[in-house]
Amino acid sequence: MSDERRLPGSAVGWLACGGLSLLANAWGILSVGAKQKKWKPLEFLLCTLAATHMLNVAVPIATYAVVQLRRQRPDYEWNEGLCKVFVSTFYTLTLATCFSVTSLSYHRMWMVRWPVNYRLSNAKKQAVHTVMGIWMVSFILSALPAVGWHDTSERFYTHGCRFIVAEIGLGFGVCFLLLVGGSVATGVVCTAIALFQTLAVQVGPRAGHRTFTVPTIVVEDAQGKRRSSIDGSEPAKTSLQITGLVATIVIIYDCLMGFPVLVVSFSSLRADASAPWMALCVLWCSVAQALLLPIFLWACDRYRADLKAVWEKCVTLMANDEDSDNDPSLEGGIPPDLVLEHSLDYSYGGDFVALDRMAKYELSALEGGVPQFYPLRPLPEDKMQYLQEGRPG
């Protein structure tokens, strides 16, 4: 990379846009948190993506911009270690962003296509494990060039920081290309399935029929204390809105980061060299996608919060409100003698369904549109029943 004239000018824009992106994504995380009473897998993944954008503009992009500005000074001395840190952090966060967008689309597809299985599979815990795996794989692969997995004939950090994959090495470039390409393709497929399923249920031929609604499940112990719960189905408007948000994020990422990175990487590997426009394209695309995510979150009514709501949420967090621990997610399997609290959208509108010990396995049949009915228990006068944990032995 040798575009000495354009890089310093762009560096000022990277710093300005990066600072704005940092504040916007921080506000987006606070807004999502302020609008939710408890964290759900999708909101957790959205906040993780916003945090990844914040790290990307605050660490590698800001470092690269400052280095480009300082190189204009006559007393500047090149630092090879700083270049290694930039390459490792930049590619770690680039891969983490790519995998996070794919995970977001996969969870949305899973939720709208197999809603019962999604709620019974402890999706929150799986989302946490997914994020941990994303960061581990991204860091391991991206740290390898800094410790020796690069072209030894002309090292990428010797004269200027040439961070395009062709300058680092063929092996790293091919692995990076395959991971990003596979992740982008998976995200597109998952988003298409989620969109089709959401639209087919709401505006398709089945829209006029009464479909099964996933019930809300509440678990109590023998003393009547609420122990855990599983959320029920989303309203039709909310489901369409969230699916549209996820689809927009995936499409914008693919257009602004996924496909440009693939084109740049493939072109550089094919030519076995990097052109000046490649670095500018990759860095500006990284900044642009980080700026757009908070805009999409603000445009969604579900995640748009005003200053008062955000401030109250911050005060609550600083006060370490212990009430937030009273409604944890369902970590294990469903205990015996479970009762569905939500009514079914069939002719049994006012009844509740009692499930035996094997109920959680029979619920999977509901995803095919054929509900499994069980003997009804007599309802108390207030028509409220909850799932109760049985005591051992």
Side-chain angles (χ1 to χ4, degrees):
M1 185 181 62
S2 59
D3 198 358
E4 300 291 341
R5 297 180 179 178
R6 297 174 62 184
L7 285 178
S10 297
V12 177
W14 294 331
L15 289 175
C17 294
L20 180 61
S21 173
L22 197 66
L23 295 176
N25 280 280
W27 178 264
I29 293 175
L30 292 175
S31 297
V32 172
K35 294 286 286 187
Q36 307 303 314
K37 294 183 179 179
K38 66 176 183 178
W39 286 97
K40 299 179 182 179
L42 194 68
E43 283 74 24
F44 172 73
L45 293 173
L46 284 172
C47 290
T48 301
L49 180 60
T52 304
H53 288 328
M54 294 174 63
L55 289 174
N56 195 24
V57 298
V59 181
I61 294 180
T63 300
Y64 190 83
V66 171
V67 168
Q68 294 303 318
L69 292 176
R70 290 193 60 190
R71 290 183 67 182
Q72 303 304 305
R73 301 179 59 179
D75 59 342
Y76 175 73
E77 295 183 1
W78 177 246
N79 190 327
E80 295 182 355
L82 193 61
C83 178
K84 293 180 180 180
V85 171
F86 162 73
V87 169
S88 297
T89 54
F90 178 76
Y91 280 107
T92 295
L93 293 166
T94 298
L95 286 174
T97 301
C98 182
F99 295 154
S100 296
V101 172
T102 303
S103 178
L104 195 66
S105 63
Y106 172 77
H107 269 261
R108 189 58 194 168
M109 178 201 68
W110 185 14
M111 185 173 185
V112 300
R113 182 63 183 85
W114 298 282
V116 177
N117 179 268
Y118 180 83
R119 288 164 173 81
L120 296 180
S121 299
N122 200 356
K124 182 185 293 186
K125 187 175 182 180
Q126 293 193 26
V128 174
H129 291 171
T130 298
V131 172
M132 294 172 60
I134 285 173
W135 280 90
M136 181 178 66
V137 172
S138 301
F139 175 77
I140 290 176
L141 178 65
S142 302
L144 291 178
V147 298
W149 192 28
H150 54 254
D151 187 1
T152 56
S153 62
E154 187 177 0
R155 304 180 190 276
F156 65 92
Y157 51 81
T158 303
H159 302 289
C161 195
R162 298 166 297 158
F163 65 93
I164 302 300
V165 292
E167 302 287 352
I168 298 176
L170 179 61
F172 174 79
V174 171
C175 288
F176 178 78
L177 194 64
L178 291 176
L179 286 175
V180 174
S183 182
V184 168
T186 303
V188 170
V189 172
C190 291
T191 302
I193 295 175
L195 276 174
F196 175 80
Q197 184 69 22
T198 302
L199 295 175
V201 170
Q202 299 191 23
V203 301
R206 297 170 53 190
H209 297 79
R210 297 175 66 84
T211 57
F212 176 75
T213 300
V214 179
T216 296
I217 301 177
V218 178
V219 180
E220 291 183 346
D221 58 15
Q223 287 75 31
K225 182 180 179 181
R226 184 169 179 168
R227 299 291 299 277
S228 56
S229 64
I230 295 179
D231 296 325
S233 295
E234 301 170 333
K237 181 180 178 181
T238 301
S239 178
L240 184 60
Q241 189 178 67
I242 296 179
T243 302
L245 173 64
V246 172
T248 303
I249 292 174
V250 173
I251 293 172
I252 293 299
Y253 170 80
D254 290 343
C255 294
L256 286 183
M257 195 63 189
F259 293 131
V261 166
L262 289 175
V263 171
V264 167
S265 300
F266 181 78
S267 300
S268 64
L269 289 174
R270 184 177 181 181
D272 196 20
S274 62
W277 63 269
M278 295 181 179
L280 291 170
C281 175
V282 171
L283 291 174
W284 274 118
C285 286
S286 298
V287 173
Q289 57 141 0
L291 279 171
L292 289 176
L293 178 63
I295 298 177
F296 297 147
L297 293 178
W298 180 85
C300 183
D301 292 337
R302 181 179 175 86
Y303 303 125
R304 186 192 306 147
D306 54 16
L307 183 60
K308 181 180 178 181
V310 173
W311 174 254
E312 291 176 352
K313 185 67 175 182
C314 292
V315 171
T316 302
L317 292 176
M318 289 186 292
N320 295 324
D321 191 357
E322 298 180 355
D323 293 338
S324 61
D325 297 331
N326 293 336
D327 190 20
S329 61
L330 195 60
E331 295 293 333
I334 298 179
D337 299 326
L338 300 186
V339 179
L340 300 186
E341 180 192 5
H342 197 286
S343 62
L344 302 180
D345 284 342
Y346 289 98
S347 58
Y348 301 91
D351 295 328
F352 295 82
V353 182
L355 307 181
D356 60 7
R357 187 180 297 268
M358 300 300 294
K360 61 180 179 179
Y361 303 105
E362 298 294 337
L363 275 172
S364 61
L366 296 174
E367 296 171 354
V370 182
Q372 300 292 321
F373 294 99
Y374 298 85
L376 298 179
R377 291 179 180 175
L379 295 177
E381 293 181 359
D382 57 359
K383 295 187 178 180
M384 293 296 293
Q385 293 190 19
Y386 293 85
L387 312 181
Q388 191 174 71
E389 292 182 335
R391 290 172 172 246

